Amino acid sequence: MERAIARGIGEGKEGGLEEVLYEAFGPEGTALLIAGITDNKNRTTAEIKHILSEHGGRMSEKGSVEWMFNHVAAFDFDPKDFPKTEEAELILIDAGAEDISKNDSLLIACVSPQSAGIFKKNLEAKSIKAREEYFDYLPKNKISLTNEETRQKVIGLMEALDDNDDVQEIYTNVSF
């Protein structure tokens, strides 16, 4: 009884949360990285395997999918946060951005996780602060699914994975 209470409040070595990263292939060989946080890795692994098998996917070996993605530190900026909006990309490049993309009304700068601190300091020296900072996995090569049935299977798989309480993020090489 005491052990169950301790686990419930996060005490003891059994009750801790741990990050997990699963590598999988979905329908038609689509690549998936599934990031999560769990208090029971065995349970979560079994649930993920079950979801994958129900939707035409399968778990893969460590390293078989992750190499298809670049792990990056991403920073979101509003172009209005820069002294001159038209020079925003140049400022980000000078600060150390390795890749810059536009998404809606945001500028997204990506750097290696090891360079994130230096990048942030370089921008702070210019009084520029990111709206949001996060780690991300970006596919090295995106694929387009021309078959609508396969596309729907991949969407169904991603929705089922997203419904799992332990899954935090799903990364894929599919371009939607």
Side-chain angles (χ1 to χ4, degrees), residues 71-72 92-93 96-100 109-115 119:
H71 189 217
V72 298
L92 292 173
I93 291 169
E98 297 168 10
D99 188 30
I100 300 170
C110 296
V111 299
S112 70
Q114 300 81 7
S115 303
F119 179 74

Side-chain angles (χ1 to χ4, degrees), residues 43-57:
R43 173 187 44 80
T44 303
T45 301
E47 290 173 358
I48 299 300
K49 283 182 178 179
H50 180 73
I51 292 168
L52 288 166
S53 68
E54 280 188 329
H55 292 87

Side-chain angles (χ1 to χ4, degrees), residues 8-172:
I9 61 173
E11 292 180 359
K13 61 182 178 184
E14 307 168 350
L17 295 175
E18 67 178 300
E19 292 182 5
V20 291
L21 182 66
Y22 298 104
E23 300 180 43
F25 289 103
E28 300 295 323
T30 55
L32 298 165
L33 284 178
I34 306 156
I37 299 174
T38 183
D39 62 346
N40 185 331
K41 191 173 180 179
N42 292 333
R43 173 187 44 80
T44 303
T45 301
E47 290 173 358
I48 299 300
K49 283 182 178 179
H50 180 73
I51 292 168
L52 288 166
S53 68
E54 280 188 329
H55 292 87
R58 65 178 170 37
M59 194 80 79
S60 65
E61 295 293 320
K62 177 137 181 71
S64 61
V65 172
E66 191 174 4
W67 71 270
M68 296 180 195
F69 294 81
N70 288 321
H71 189 217
V72 298
F75 297 82
D76 292 349
F77 299 94
D78 186 332
K80 297 173 192 161
D81 293 340
F82 291 86
K84 294 183 179 178
T85 306
E86 58 276 356
E87 294 179 8
E89 290 183 32
L90 293 174
I91 292 170
L92 292 173
I93 291 169
D94 287 343
E98 297 168 10
D99 188 30
I100 300 170
S101 60
K102 293 179 183 177
N103 184 355
D104 298 326
S105 62
L106 292 177
L107 281 175
I108 304 165
C110 296
V111 299
S112 70
Q114 300 81 7
S115 303
I118 295 168
F119 179 74
K120 195 172 171 180
K121 279 183 182 179
N122 290 342
L123 290 174
E124 286 173 355
K126 296 181 181 192
S127 300
I128 298 171
K129 188 173 181 193
R131 297 268 169 128
E132 188 175 354
E133 304 170 24
Y134 51 95
F135 290 103
D136 207 355
Y137 284 93
L138 302 176
K140 292 179 182 175
N141 295 306
K142 288 189 173 192
I143 62 170
S144 295
L145 298 176
T146 55
N147 182 324
E148 186 60 30
E149 183 180 338
T150 303
R151 182 178 154 85
Q152 290 305 315
K153 283 182 183 179
V154 172
I155 291 170
L157 170 59
M158 292 182 68
E159 287 174 349
L161 288 167
D162 192 44
D163 287 343
N164 183 290
D165 291 336
D166 294 336
V167 173
Q168 301 299 307
E169 295 286 338
I170 306 162
Y171 305 98
T172 183

